[in-house]
Amino acid sequence: MSTHNLVLTHGIDEPLPVTRGRLFDFPDDPIACMKKLQARHGNIAALEDEGQRIYFAFGPHFNHQILSDGTTYHSQFFAIRGSRKSPQRNLSSGLLSMNGEQHKRQRRLVMDAFLKKAILNYVPTIRKLTEEMLSEWKPGTERDINRDMTDLMLRMTSTILFGIDDADMAYRIGHMIDHWVHMNHELGMGAFVANQDIANRYGELLEYAGLLQTEIKAMIGQRKSNPNGSDALSLMISAHDSEGSISDEELIGQAALMFGAAHLTTAHTLAWTLFLLAEHPSVMSELHQELKTNLSGGFPSIEQVERLPCTERVIKESMRILPASSYSQRMTAVPTQLGPFALAPGAGIVFSQFMTHHMPELYPNPEEFRPERWLTINPSPYEYLPFGAGPRMCIGAPLAMLILKTVLPTILQQFKVTAIPMSEVSGKVISTMLCPTTEMIMRLDAQDGRFESQPVRGNIHEMVDLREVRTVRKAA
Ligand code: HEM
């Protein structure tokens, strides 16, 4: 990134923490860009390119200021909205594009589908799909774990959200939403650069949005004709308050957002956690003992998962060090002061889970994967925020935790996962999500309780300190 300091003055003689560079440096490599800005300026900074700025605010103080105040700081997730009433506009109008009273009301209405009572209905689906996946796994083989987790979550999310009774249709629509989200990401980048190829593909996106909307509308129609469904969409259709229920146009946006928000975040969390465990034999060993002592070899019951403290610490630590949602953004709705910056309405601000979770003052030796740190720390909601914080904190967090706490123990009771020596493991934040960018090939063996880490290459070493990895061989 070729940037240099631009020292502007504000007030009498205070320099503003502004770096002049290419705005595209940010989406190009968000973590590298944020680290450089923080190293140069501290926890509040701006990146400026020909008069345009992106503001960056790191750490609990700014997280609190930004995330607790939905009136000043609005969410506007999708860059390309399409014209009014167009399929693109409908599809991009889920919760993360709503603000104020509209957001509050819709959130209340869709929330019912993600409360504890509702998510318990999803357990048989989680179990069936996990067991189906594991029936394909064979000891002594190598598999791309990230691909398997992504496929598992594509099936699981689409079935839970759209159709416990019509999994094929749900799966097809899930696939289409995935593709549409991907196109939005690629073309959304066009907002940062002048690129003719990207501009030409805008029409393709709008056309695809039309196809996707037709499919989702048909699915909504089908769910309405069978009012007793227990999938999340059916619950959203039947939700109502004194003002009525969620309109079909709103359901289209909510369905697309739910799927986009749920699928890859959970898949990547599963894959990163398996990798971290494979590279930390002593942690894996402790976890293995816990699963062996408390479970009976198969899919755990809800009562059992509530009594797995080591599993809980492992998941918390994995989501701290490699948070699937690594940053997000807000836009000012009214003039406001953020640190030294007097912001006009429409200013874009980035806050970051990754940067907060890697602050040494909050988490000593932040690059070390040490689940045992959770025995002694109790961070505030603005210090630890893998699911966000404040009035738009993730509504799917209980469902995601249920999936993580059942799928990981089910896999690890049956299989031992080991990294392939000198394989590359790299990741990058793509469209706010920290995604593995290389295949994550792992060797599978029948679980025998003997664990050994392997040296790997790749930029994983910039995010996680694997030098301390200990090799522990422990008899089962
Ligand atoms: C490990 C998995 C997940 C992670 C890490 C995650 C993370 C997040 C984060 C950080 C936010 C806040 C974004 C912001 O403030 O800008 C969020 C919001 C949201 N998430 Fe999740 N999420 C996960 C799973 C899910 C699941 C399973 C669903 C299920 C439907 C879901 C649905 C949503 C929705 C609808 C919002 C928007 C809430 C609002 O604006 O009021 N997420 N998620």
Side-chain angles (χ1 to χ4, degrees), residues 57 63 66-67 326-330 349-353 385:
N63 290 342
I66 295 165
L67 296 179
S326 276
Y327 76 84
S328 199
Q329 60 255 320
R330 292 289 186 267
I349 303 139
V350 169
F351 67 93
S352 169
Q353 289 89 339
L385 58 167

Side-chain angles (χ1 to χ4, degrees), residues 80 185 323 395 445:
I80 303 172
H185 166 67
I395 62 167
D445 290 294

Side-chain angles (χ1 to χ4, degrees), residues 69-289:
D69 179 0
T71 309
T72 306
Y73 298 96
H74 277 188
S75 169
Q76 194 191 320
F77 192 74
F78 287 93
I80 303 172
R81 297 300 313 277
S83 54
R84 268 188 85 231
K85 293 189 182 297
S86 67
Q88 176 68 17
R89 176 66 69 98
N90 287 340
L91 286 162
S92 63
S93 296
L95 271 190
L96 271 176
S97 305
M98 292 179 170
N99 289 289
E101 277 310 311
Q102 188 195 25
H103 170 256
K104 236 186 242 169
R105 174 173 178 257
Q106 287 272 320
R107 190 175 157 102
R108 256 196 324 263
L109 285 171
V110 299
M111 201 71 171
D112 277 359
F114 302 98
L115 297 177
K116 190 157 185 194
K117 194 168 100 224
I119 64 177
L120 291 182
N121 287 328
Y122 310 144
V123 170
T125 301
I126 301 172
R127 176 179 191 152
K128 175 171 169 278
L129 294 175
T130 307
E131 288 174 350
E132 268 174 28
M133 177 189 76
L134 291 182
S135 70
E136 304 272 306
W137 285 18
K138 302 284 173 266
T141 59
E142 293 178 359
R143 294 191 73 96
D144 179 351
I145 291 289
N146 186 48
R147 196 164 147 197
D148 279 349
M149 293 306 118
T150 303
D151 198 49
L152 174 67
M153 285 315 303
L154 181 56
R155 287 173 191 281
M156 207 179 275
T157 311
S158 44
T159 313
I160 288 173
L161 293 183
F162 305 145
I164 283 168
D165 54 341
D166 190 350
D168 287 344
M169 183 191 202
Y171 184 62
R172 192 178 67 248
I173 291 177
H175 231 312
M176 287 183 76
I177 296 176
D178 211 19
H179 185 62
W180 174 78
V181 168
H182 194 73
M183 286 176 99
N184 270 279
H185 166 67
E186 283 194 328
L187 302 185
M189 294 290 104
F192 288 94
V193 282
N195 179 322
Q196 193 52 41
D197 182 43
I198 288 180
N200 291 342
R201 294 189 52 212
Y202 186 68
E204 260 176 61
L205 170 71
L206 299 188
E207 204 174 306
Y208 197 78
L211 292 176
L212 176 56
Q213 173 167 284
T214 306
E215 291 275 345
I216 297 181
K217 270 188 174 168
M219 179 171 68
I220 293 171
Q222 210 187 68
R223 293 290 169 278
K224 282 191 167 173
S225 64
N226 171 17
N228 297 322
S230 55
D231 52 82
L233 180 60
S234 296
L235 297 180
M236 286 192 252
I237 288 171
S238 55
H240 59 274
D241 60 12
S242 57
E243 289 172 49
S245 52
I246 309 178
S247 72
D248 280 9
E249 278 68 32
E250 289 165 339
L251 280 172
I252 291 166
Q254 299 305 5
L257 174 74
M258 297 289 162
F259 186 86
H263 161 220
L264 289 176
T265 45
T266 317
H268 296 331
T269 304
L270 284 166
W272 287 127
T273 307
L274 287 169
F275 168 76
L276 289 164
L277 285 168
E279 290 296 84
H280 293 81
S282 62
V283 177
M284 186 61 248
S285 199
E286 191 189 343
L287 180 62
H288 175 68
Q289 286 307 323

Side-chain angles (χ1 to χ4, degrees), residues 38 43 58-60 355-356 358-366 383:
Q38 192 197 38
N43 286 338
F58 306 127
M355 297 300 288
T356 305
H358 283 250
M359 287 183 163
E361 59 273 35
L362 300 178
Y363 305 97
N365 301 316
E383 292 172 337

